[in-house]
Amino acid sequence: MDISNYLYLSVILFTIGATGVLVRRNAIVIFMCIELMLNAANLALVTFSRVAGNLEGQVASFFTMVVAACEVVVGLAIIVTIYRSRRSASVDDASLLKS
Amino acid sequence: MFNQSLALGQTATPEAVQFWILAPIAVIAALGMLFMKKAVHSALLLAWVMVTLAIFYIAQDALFLGIVQIVVYTGAVMMLFLFILMLVGVDASESLVENIKGQRGASILAGLGLGGLLLSLVARASVNQPAAGLKLVNQTGNVQSLAGQLFTQYVWAFEVVSALLITAALGAMVLAHSPKPAVRNKQRDLSIARFRGKSLADAAGLPGSGVFARHNAVDVPALLPDGTPAPTSISATLKARGDVISPAPFALEHSEEVEE
Amino acid sequence: MRTSSLLVYLIALPLFSSALLLLLGRIADKWGHILATLITASTFVIGAYEFMKMQGQAGESRAVTQKLFEWISVGSLKVNASLLLDQLSICFVLLITGVVTLIHIYSIAYMSHDKDRRRFFAFLNLFIADMLLLVLGDSYLNLYIGWEGVGLASYLLIGFWNHNPTYAVASKKAFVANRVGDVGLSLAIMICFAQFGTVSFEGVKAGAHGASSAALAGIGAMLLLAACGKSAQFPLQSWLGDAMAGPTPVSALIHAATMVTAGVYLISRSNFIFDASSTARLLVVIVGAITLLFGAIIGTAKDDIKKALAASTMSQIGYMILATGLGPIGYAFAILHLLTHGFFKAGMFLGAGSVMHGMDDEVNMRKYGGLAKLMPITAVTFGLGYLAILGVPPFAGFYSKDKIIEVAFNAGGIKGILLGGAALLGAAITAFYMTRVMVMTFIGAKRWKAESHPHESPILMTLPMILLAFGSVASGFLLSKGSALVHWLEPVVNSQNVEEGKPLMPALTVSLLALGVVVIGAAFAIIKYRTVSDVAPEKVSEFTIAARKDLYQDILNDRLLVAPGTLLTAGLVRADDRVIDGGVRFVGSFLGATSDALRKVQNGFVRSYALLMLAGLVITVIAVWVIGA
């Protein structure tokens, strides 16, 4: 099997995640789409690591996971805070920059 | 196609089967995540995608990463998502009507553009050499090799990332902490409350425990003027535990002679 | 070449007095005119002195120069501010300074009631300075300065009473028509510089032999255009009639004796150009012939005495221009006619002014009649001028005009017969309308109102007229005796080497022919104007109507030049507003509109911003890929 298939899959998942960020309104679902994008990138990294025959890709993927975890923590905390004050989790409500 | 698979990739057929079963399901799950009305459904579908990816990692000899993907990502991160969803409103379902004009069409267009772009880039950038595979590297085991990399070549990044983790945890605590409105009764408040109570029986405070001058232990109730023990002089906890001693042995024998 | 240090005073003295009178203002009111007259008299004295010195020299060395300063030295163009007084210039200098002194004396009395008399004299002196600079300049560029200056001075003098809108418009018309001619002079100077690398008369004369015929024809045509403008020749003659709006001394000076003769001077001075280009010469004779008939025809229908005299000037200068186109010998006769014309026309204009002065500034000849008895001196001097212009021997015009007709006939072939015939016809019509003027003004029954009491003019006015009458009588004879003027001008116009062809008819025949047509014309006029109505008749022939309207020249100018010009400017103004200003306004409103449209992109929604980021990323990657490929 062509190893590029993993890369194609990664691209497709990335695209789906990117489109999801633009289309969904719920802040948490947007966040989940971002996580999907990160995971797709991780898949690509692991595939490249296999192709290259060293562990560099896996190390990068590892760090990506850690950072993604931190990001999720802080991001969800922020969403909770915003939800507490606004009682709504829709990103369309934060439109104060409207000219 | 068959020649291609022999020339490049050189992955065995079982892997192909596995890929071609799981990958479409993952894609469908991702698309489903996009289209679900309820956020909880989206979260669960994402969890499925992550599990699929973990299987792929393991299939590609990234054992440590595959397990970590399940444990950390699916287990911790997605569960965190679900907890927050529960906080925010599990039943909240989003209406699928788009209220920004042209956003949906433009987004799909942009997404397709991005996808097409990246696909064509990947297709043009052919993987020139056969996949080396990780057999050699994993000779001493994947975890050991990975650890060897992490703690020698990437130790600085490792330390920084750990600092990041601590910071993130602190940040989450600070952000998520909801300050309760603490009503701490001070001494003055208590005094005022005593005098404004229904009866002034306890205005001067509860009677102290112990028999006057004979045994002033905490677990011995005080004696009322008619010789009966006062129930309010003993802590309720001791009473509940049954540690209260009767005050009879400590009562004065010649109480009448004293009265004369 | 002899040098003199006096030439500059000819120009500097009048210029200084003009400036003084203008700057001192009311202070100089009491004595300004006296000073101006004395200054002009002194220029005449200087001119006469120089003339005396010239007479003592041999022919070739009579010219005198004076270099004032180096004026232009740019690249290969070097022009000095120098003055040249040769045989041609001295004729003009004497004519100008002499006639102008007489006119100054006349104006002291004529303008005595005008509170702006001082300003009038200042402008007169300015005119003198510029006219003298014109005839004394030694290069085309120096001439041009004087040329422009006299145009300015004539504008100031024609519009002297500019509180009257008609007069102001007339002065403007004169200036504009002059300007068209000035364009011709500028172009001629430019072509000279391009061809010869120099604009001085000597330089151009030296280079004229080797120049291409196209260049010579071009220079000649442009110089002719300039002369037409200044001398009121066809097609730039429409301003001369209206220029009679100025005070009569102005008409006498500028439009009889001096300024309008500047064109003749220019052509005579440029004889080397015209002699070398037969095309230019042909144009000159055509213009001259047309104008002499044109002026004569117009003159027959004018009831305003000054306008009739103006038409007569136009016609007589047509004679002079015709003469200058007839070859080297023609220049001398043109100058001869110019000098005699200066006397009798100025005299007649001053006479007209005297009549107007006596008739309370009435100019309509139909309101005159029988004035000879009441204004005898005026009548006699005017009459002598009249006889001179008719060409009756032995008065001045006989010598000059007959010579021109003779040279015209001798030009050869069909051209000669046509030109000679035109000149004869012109003479006949001249006789007709001048007799008409004489009869309507001085002879016959009186037609003036009872209130006006015509009286003879004061001595200050009659003295110049008498002196000019002497000129009308004697100048022709004196200048022609022994071909004096012809020989005098030979070194300048190179007329000595021309061999005379066989004349068409003997000189005596020409003179008798001319005299004959003059008598016929005069008799016709006397018969027709025995009785004159005091209002202009309505039922007249088409011809008369056309002549009254200046042969439709004004209407033609209006339709051909003014109307398209007005359309053009209106169109340009509209284009400026719509296109240029509109473009600027459009830029502003366009920016505003696009800003308004773009503002809507900032809708405050995070998702649309995210969409823009993604789209930008995709486009950037595609662009990098395509460019890199």
Side-chain angles (χ1 to χ4, degrees):
Chain A
M1 187 199 75
D2 192 358
I3 202 156
S4 308
N5 290 341
Y6 285 114
L7 296 176
Y8 293 138
L9 174 65
S10 158
V11 163
I12 292 173
L13 289 177
F14 187 88
T15 311
I16 294 174
T19 313
V21 169
L22 300 178
V23 170
R24 296 298 302 245
R25 259 199 302 272
N26 195 333
I28 301 174
V29 176
I30 291 178
F31 218 160
M32 286 197 283
C33 295
I34 294 175
E35 287 306 307
L36 179 60
M37 293 203 287
L38 281 164
N39 275 287
N42 275 354
L43 176 63
L45 282 167
V46 168
T47 309
F48 284 131
S49 148
R50 180 181 176 194
V51 164
N54 57 25
L55 288 177
E56 311 251 328
Q58 291 190 15
V59 169
S61 184
F62 173 77
F63 282 126
T64 309
M65 277 188 206
V66 172
V67 172
C70 301
E71 167 208 345
V72 165
V73 160
V74 176
L76 287 176
I78 292 173
I79 290 177
V80 164
T81 313
I82 293 178
Y83 177 75
R84 276 206 197 126
S85 59
R86 282 177 196 260
R87 283 285 138 202
S88 156
S90 163
V91 292
D92 277 351
D93 291 342
S95 64
L96 286 174
L97 276 177
K98 183 179 170 66
S99 68
Chain B
M1 191 73 174
F2 190 67
N3 290 337
Q4 261 185 330
S5 70
L6 285 183
L8 303 162
Q10 283 166 7
T11 52
T13 321
E15 188 184 345
V17 170
Q18 171 197 308
F19 179 83
W20 284 112
I21 293 178
L22 286 178
I25 298 178
V27 171
I28 293 171
L31 282 170
M33 184 191 88
L34 215 53
F35 295 134
M36 284 295 147
K37 273 203 250 189
K38 281 197 192 293
V40 179
H41 299 172
S42 301
L44 292 173
L45 286 171
L46 181 63
W48 170 250
V49 171
M50 288 183 176
V51 168
T52 311
L53 287 180
I55 296 172
F56 286 150
Y57 292 164
I58 295 176
Q60 299 206 67
D61 291 332
L63 299 161
F64 179 69
L65 271 176
I67 304 299
V68 165
Q69 169 89 352
I70 294 181
V71 169
V72 170
Y73 242 121
T74 320
V77 171
M78 287 318 297
M79 291 311 116
L80 187 58
F81 266 108
L82 283 169
F83 288 151
I84 301 299
L85 275 172
M86 285 194 280
L87 262 180
V88 166
V90 177
D91 297 335
S93 68
E94 192 179 314
S95 87
L96 282 179
V97 174
E98 176 65 67
N99 59 355
I100 300 177
K101 231 173 29 161
Q103 173 82 0
R104 188 165 281 179
S107 312
I108 292 172
L109 200 64
L112 285 173
L114 180 69
L117 184 67
L118 291 173
L119 280 174
S120 50
L121 277 174
V122 169
R124 286 167 65 89
S126 55
V127 179
N128 266 337
Q129 75 261 35
L134 291 170
K135 293 263 181 307
L136 197 63
V137 178
N138 281 349
Q139 264 178 347
T140 50
N142 184 252
V143 180
Q144 288 83 340
S145 317
L146 200 56
Q149 287 278 308
L150 269 180
F151 291 111
T152 53
Q153 198 174 358
Y154 296 102
V155 67
W156 172 238
F158 187 77
E159 299 298 331
V160 169
V161 161
S162 58
L164 175 66
L165 271 171
I166 297 170
T167 314
L170 273 175
M173 270 196 285
V174 166
L175 279 171
H177 182 256
S178 63
K180 283 199 183 67
V183 183
R184 302 277 301 273
N185 280 334
K186 305 245 173 18
Q187 185 178 16
R188 185 185 156 81
D189 304 314
L190 289 169
S191 171
I192 294 171
R194 276 203 302 271
F195 278 90
R196 291 208 181 132
K198 280 203 291 285
S199 77
L200 284 174
D202 291 328
L206 294 170
S209 63
V211 177
F212 188 71
R214 296 294 298 272
H215 192 77
N216 52 2
V218 181
D219 51 354
V220 175
L223 285 176
L224 288 171
D226 55 1
T228 56
T232 53
S233 63
I234 293 285
S235 158
T237 315
L238 290 174
K239 273 194 275 190
R241 279 165 40 176
D243 283 339
V244 177
I245 303 173
S246 158
F250 310 109
L252 282 175
E253 286 111 4
H254 304 291
S255 56
E256 305 91 15
E257 289 142 12
V258 176
E259 267 181 45
E260 274 182 310
Chain C
M1 194 75 73
R2 296 182 299 134
T3 60
S4 160
S5 56
L6 283 178
L7 296 183
V8 68
Y9 291 110
L10 283 171
I11 300 167
L13 283 174
L15 200 57
F16 167 72
S17 115
S18 162
L20 196 68
L21 288 178
L22 283 174
L23 288 172
L24 282 183
R26 297 265 159 227
I27 305 171
D29 270 353
K30 293 267 174 23
W31 46 267
H33 49 282
I34 311 277
L35 174 69
T37 314
L38 285 175
I39 295 276
T40 39
S42 65
T43 58
F44 178 71
V45 167
I46 297 175
Y49 170 70
E50 286 291 337
F51 182 61
M52 295 298 177
K53 277 181 51 181
M54 264 188 173
Q55 293 235 304
Q57 304 282 325
E60 272 64 43
S61 56
R62 280 190 175 141
V64 168
T65 59
Q66 178 178 10
K67 176 172 159 179
L68 297 175
F69 50 88
E70 227 181 69
W71 181 24
I72 297 176
S73 179
V74 174
S76 58
L77 176 62
K78 291 194 186 343
V79 179
N80 289 335
S82 332
L83 303 173
L84 166 71
L85 182 69
D86 66 359
Q87 294 93 325
L88 181 60
S89 323
I90 193 67
C91 299
F92 278 85
V93 167
L94 287 175
L95 175 69
I96 294 166
T97 52
V99 173
V100 89
T101 310
L102 293 175
I103 290 179
H104 271 74
I105 299 171
Y106 182 91
S107 306
I108 295 177
Y110 190 81
M111 302 288 284
S112 59
H113 299 302
D114 197 317
K115 66 172 171 44
D116 284 323
R117 181 167 59 167
R118 165 199 50 86
R119 191 159 63 91
F120 183 75
F121 276 89
F123 290 152
L124 277 183
N125 275 17
L126 177 67
F127 176 85
I128 299 305
D130 284 315
M131 189 71 202
L132 287 171
L133 179 57
L134 196 157
V135 300
L136 285 176
D138 84 325
S139 67
Y140 281 106
L141 208 50
N142 291 337
L143 187 151
Y144 192 64
I145 306 289
W147 192 272
E148 295 289 317
V150 297
L152 169 69
S154 87
Y155 168 78
L156 291 169
L157 284 165
I158 295 171
F160 187 69
W161 291 315
N162 54 15
H163 45 78
N164 184 326
T166 324
Y167 298 164
V169 166
S171 70
K172 198 170 56 171
K173 183 173 176 184
F175 194 78
V176 170
N178 264 277
R179 211 75 198 98
V180 175
D182 295 347
V183 168
L185 188 52
S186 314
L187 285 174
I189 294 178
M190 289 176 204
I191 299 177
C192 277
F193 178 61
Q195 272 295 120
F196 306 116
T198 169
V199 293
S200 70
F201 294 134
E202 286 190 10
V204 176
K205 184 170 177 173
H209 296 296
S212 69
S213 59
L216 286 171
I219 297 175
M222 289 297 116
L223 289 174
L224 179 62
L225 181 64
C228 288
K230 195 63 80 180
S231 299
Q233 300 294 291
F234 181 83
L236 294 171
Q237 84 284 15
S238 56
W239 63 272
L240 192 60
D242 291 352
M244 296 300 118
T248 313
V250 170
S251 310
L253 173 66
I254 295 181
H255 307 120
T258 47
M259 187 179 104
V260 292
T261 55
V264 181
Y265 170 76
L266 181 66
I267 296 182
S268 307
R269 180 58 81 192
S270 314
N271 54 68
F272 32 83
I273 300 277
F274 288 99
D275 285 344
S277 166
S278 55
T279 322
R281 268 222 306 278
L282 186 61
L283 281 174
V284 169
V285 297
I286 291 175
V287 164
I290 292 178
T291 311
L292 72 90
L293 287 173
F294 199 96
I297 293 172
I298 292 178
T300 57
K302 292 289 176 194
D303 286 338
D304 182 335
I305 187 171
K306 281 174 69 173
K307 289 213 166 94
L309 288 175
S312 156
T313 302
M314 195 194 295
S315 173
Q316 295 304 310
I317 299 185
Y319 271 100
M320 296 178 218
I321 299 281
L322 172 66
T324 55
L326 289 173
I329 194 78
Y331 297 111
F333 294 128
I335 302 296
L336 177 60
H337 192 54
L338 190 146
L339 292 171
T340 57
H341 172 265
F343 283 114
F344 56 70
K345 190 49 69 65
M348 283 202 282
F349 262 111
L350 293 188
S354 167
V355 168
M356 281 165 60
H357 179 85
M359 296 291 289
D360 288 327
D361 290 331
E362 173 65 61
V363 289
N364 192 342
M365 288 193 289
R366 296 198 181 267
K367 301 275 194 284
Y368 292 165
L371 288 172
K373 288 188 278 291
L374 296 160
M375 299 169 116
I377 304 182
T378 308
V380 166
T381 52
F382 196 95
L384 289 174
Y386 156 77
L387 287 173
I389 196 174
L390 250 56
V392 172
F395 297 103
F398 164 70
Y399 292 95
S400 50
K401 211 196 262 197
D402 275 14
K403 275 289 175 208
I404 293 179
I405 299 175
E406 190 184 317
V407 175
F409 272 121
N410 292 344
I414 295 288
K415 180 169 110 174
I417 297 182
L418 276 176
L419 293 174
L424 270 183
L425 184 61
I429 305 178
T430 304
F432 174 76
Y433 70 77
M434 284 313 299
T435 313
R436 174 177 180 264
V437 168
M438 260 320 266
V439 167
M440 280 172 91
T441 309
F442 291 108
I443 304 172
K446 64 173 197 189
R447 295 184 298 277
W448 25 275
K449 303 184 285 285
E451 303 86 66
S452 32
H453 36 273
H455 54 279
E456 190 54 83
S457 304
I459 182 72
L460 277 180
M461 283 169 72
T462 52
L463 183 60
M465 291 196 299
I466 295 171
L467 290 173
L468 285 172
F470 274 126
S472 309
V473 171
S475 60
F477 174 71
L478 286 174
L479 290 171
S480 303
K481 193 155 87 91
S483 302
L485 188 62
V486 176
H487 289 313
W488 175 259
L489 287 177
E490 263 169 13
V492 179
V493 300
N494 296 324
S495 53
Q496 63 269 40
N497 300 328
V498 176
E499 60 222 32
E500 305 255 341
K502 188 164 138 359
L504 188 64
M505 34 185 142
L508 192 57
T509 319
V510 173
S511 303
L512 286 174
L513 212 58
L515 205 53
V517 298
V518 159
V519 166
I520 294 173
F524 197 52
I526 293 175
I527 295 170
K528 188 165 158 75
Y529 290 103
R530 252 178 332 196
T531 52
V532 182
S533 61
D534 51 351
V535 284
E538 298 288 327
K539 293 209 184 73
V540 287
S541 66
E542 284 296 319
F543 215 48
T544 315
I545 296 177
R548 281 191 191 155
K549 287 201 169 57
D550 292 346
L551 290 181
Y552 303 118
Q553 175 70 21
D554 278 341
I555 298 175
L556 212 65
N557 277 348
D558 230 19
R559 296 251 177 85
L560 275 182
L561 302 169
V562 174
T566 319
L567 266 177
L568 182 65
T569 46
L572 284 176
V573 166
R574 253 208 320 278
D576 178 53
D577 187 50
R578 298 251 182 83
V579 174
I580 297 175
D581 284 353
V584 171
R585 280 197 295 268
F586 171 72
V587 167
S589 57
F590 175 72
L591 282 176
T594 48
S595 302
D596 258 351
L598 281 177
R599 181 172 57 86
K600 300 209 169 63
V601 172
Q602 300 277 349
N603 55 9
F605 293 125
V606 180
R607 293 191 291 134
S608 52
Y609 296 157
L611 169 64
L612 286 171
M613 283 167 66
L614 184 63
L617 172 72
V618 170
I619 291 171
T620 309
V621 174
I622 291 178
V624 168
W625 189 10
V626 165
I627 291 171

